[in-house]
Amino acid sequence: MKWNKYTIETTTAAEDFMSSMLMELGIEGVEIEDNIPLSKEDQADMFIDFLPELPPDDGVSHVSFYLEDNGEDYTELLKQVKTELENLRKIVDVGSGIITSDQTEDLDWINNWKKFFSSFYIDDILIKPTWEELKEEDKDKFLIEIDPGVSFGTGKHETTQLCIRQLLKYIRGNAEYQPKNTAPKVLDVGCGSGILSIVALKLGAREVVGTDLDPDCMTSTHDNMEVNHLDLNKGTFYVGNLIDDTKLQEEVGTEEYDIVVANILADVIIPMAPVIPARLKKGGYFITSGIIDFKENAVKEAIEHAGLTVVEINHQGEWVNITARKGES
C-alpha cells in the first residue's frame, strides 16, 4: 500500500494550531519534527534514560500527514488545508507554510525493521523470528519463536538477554545455583511481547502472570504463546501500572511468586521496588534489568530500601542486571 506524505514547513509556535487544523479536516496521524528539547516532565512520563542529540532549536517545525494513494482525488482536501493554513496566519506565525509531498509505503515503517532481527542464541536457547524459516540443523534446539508486533521485546537487547540468563539460572539452575523449586510461579512486570514469560514457561515455570501499560502487549503475548505451543491457561495478563494501582496489586496477588522479573527502566524500577516484596514468596527472587550503568547504585539502593537483599549484579555493555532475594523470615 502506498501513501502520499505531505509536509508543511512551519514554526514551533504554530505546530499545535496546525495539528488541530488538520484533525478538524479529518486528517489523523499527524507527525511533528522539531528540535525542541524534551522537558523534565516529558522525560519522566516517557521513562527516557538517553536524550537524542539535537541541533539548536531554530524555531522551525515540520508537520506531516499521510493520505492513502488509493486513486481517491484529494484536490479539494488539499485546497482546504492551504486555505486554513492562510487563515492561521491571522493568529500565529506559521512561517513559510510551504507544502512538499513525497510518496512512501507502509512497509517503510511496518516491516523494514524486521531485517535487523534474525535468529540468535542466548546460551543454548535459539530465539527465532516467526517469519524466518527454521534451519534443518536447528530443529532439535531449545527454540523460542517471537514476533514482537507493536511491542518491545525481540530478545536481542542486552537487558532482555541479562534477564533471560538469570531466568535460566534461577529456574533450570547451573553450576553455581540449583533451585529448590524447578516449577516456579513467575510474575513478568512490563511483559511487552511476552518473551520473558515464554522463556520462563519453556524452562519449566508452572504459571506466569504478566502486566503491562500497553493493551497491545496482551495481544502480542498471547499470539507468541500460541506460536510456541504453550497452554494459554498457564498465562494470565493484566493491563495496568503495578506501582500505584492497588486493584491490580490485589489481582496479581500477595506472596504468590517464586520469581518476579522486570525488564523496564531504572526510573520505573525505583518507584516500583516498594511493591515487589509483597508479591514475592519468602526466599523468592526479584530479577530486573533495563538499568543503564550510571543508575545502577540508585536502583540497588531502592531495592535494598524495599527490604530485599541484592545477591548479584551483572553487566552487559552499558546495561545492568540486579537480582535480589526476599528473606526467609
Side-chain angles (χ1 to χ4, degrees):
M1 184 185 298
K2 292 184 178 180
W3 299 78
N4 292 315
K5 177 182 179 181
Y6 298 91
T7 300
I8 306 169
E9 184 178 88
T10 184
T11 66
T12 52
E15 59 190 22
D16 287 341
F17 293 92
M18 203 74 69
S19 299
S20 297
M21 176 267 286
L22 292 170
M23 292 180 70
E24 287 174 3
L25 292 176
I27 297 170
E28 299 179 354
V30 175
E31 177 183 274
I32 297 175
E33 297 174 85
D34 59 36
N35 294 329
I36 299 176
L38 289 174
S39 67
K40 290 184 178 179
E41 291 77 13
D42 289 336
Q43 293 175 44
D45 288 343
M46 298 171 72
F47 305 123
I48 291 176
D49 275 326
F50 285 114
L51 291 177
E53 293 186 7
L54 298 173
D57 177 23
D58 55 5
V60 175
S61 176
H62 293 89
V63 178
S64 300
F65 59 95
Y66 297 83
L67 299 175
E68 188 178 342
D69 187 8
N70 57 3
E72 186 174 344
D73 186 0
Y74 294 111
T75 303
E76 189 57 38
L77 178 59
L78 293 172
K79 282 183 180 179
Q80 287 181 287
V81 171
K82 291 178 181 178
T83 299
E84 293 303 321
L85 176 59
E86 293 308 310
N87 288 336
L88 283 179
R89 288 188 186 278
K90 301 172 185 177
I91 57 173
V92 66
D93 177 13
V94 299
S96 70
I98 294 171
I99 302 177
T100 56
S101 63
D102 193 10
Q103 193 175 69
T104 185
E105 297 185 17
D106 55 0
L107 289 177
D108 290 345
W109 60 84
I110 292 179
N111 289 318
N112 277 0
W113 65 273
K114 290 183 177 180
K115 64 187 177 185
F116 300 107
F117 178 27
S118 56
S119 296
F120 66 102
Y121 279 93
I122 299 177
D123 291 352
D124 64 333
I125 298 177
L126 173 62
I127 297 180
K128 181 185 80 67
T130 54
W131 56 87
E132 188 176 284
E133 286 292 324
L134 182 64
K135 297 175 183 177
E136 189 65 34
E137 61 267 29
D138 290 331
K139 289 189 175 179
D140 60 344
K141 298 295 192 298
F142 187 129
L143 175 66
I144 290 176
E145 295 188 271
I146 289 291
D147 184 345
V150 296
S151 307
F152 172 82
T154 64
K156 276 210 163 181
H157 197 276
E158 290 95 332
T159 62
T160 313
Q161 294 185 33
L162 284 162
C163 285
I164 289 174
R165 288 193 172 94
Q166 292 302 93
L167 288 173
L168 277 163
K169 177 176 179 177
Y170 288 96
I171 297 177
R172 189 169 66 181
N174 60 21
E176 298 175 3
Y177 174 83
Q178 286 301 315
K180 295 178 182 177
N181 183 0
T182 55
K185 185 174 181 180
V186 177
L187 173 62
D188 181 3
V189 184
C191 57
S193 66
I195 185 168
L196 296 180
S197 292
I198 290 166
V199 168
L201 286 170
K202 286 232 170 182
L203 287 171
R206 70 178 185 277
E207 182 183 353
V208 295
V209 174
T211 69
D212 204 286
L213 299 177
D214 186 352
D216 288 328
C217 292
M218 305 300 105
T219 302
S220 297
T221 297
H222 280 104
D223 289 349
N224 284 319
M225 283 185 68
E226 287 187 324
V227 165
N228 286 277
H229 311 292
L230 293 169
D231 183 353
L232 294 181
N233 292 322
K234 289 188 174 182
T236 305
F237 300 93
Y238 300 97
V239 177
N241 189 339
L242 196 65
I243 294 172
D244 54 13
D245 187 335
T246 54
K247 182 181 177 183
L248 178 61
Q249 292 169 11
E250 290 173 3
E251 289 177 326
V252 165
T254 301
E255 295 194 340
E256 289 270 342
Y257 302 94
D258 302 283
I259 295 173
V260 175
V261 60
N263 181 28
I264 315 180
L265 282 175
D267 290 340
V268 184
I269 297 166
I270 290 169
M272 182 187 293
V275 306
I276 296 301
R279 315 279 76 79
L280 284 167
K281 294 178 181 178
K282 292 176 181 178
Y285 288 91
F286 180 37
I287 296 169
T288 188
S289 191
I291 306 161
I292 193 65
D293 52 14
F294 60 82
K295 293 193 175 182
E296 175 184 326
N297 288 335
V299 176
K300 179 176 179 289
E301 288 172 6
I303 290 172
E304 290 175 332
H305 186 71
L308 301 178
T309 300
V310 173
V311 295
E312 63 178 298
I313 297 176
N314 300 290
H315 299 83
Q316 187 170 338
E318 57 197 356
W319 298 96
V320 182
N321 150 252
I322 297 177
T323 299
R325 187 171 183 267
K326 183 175 178 178
E328 296 280 2
S329 59

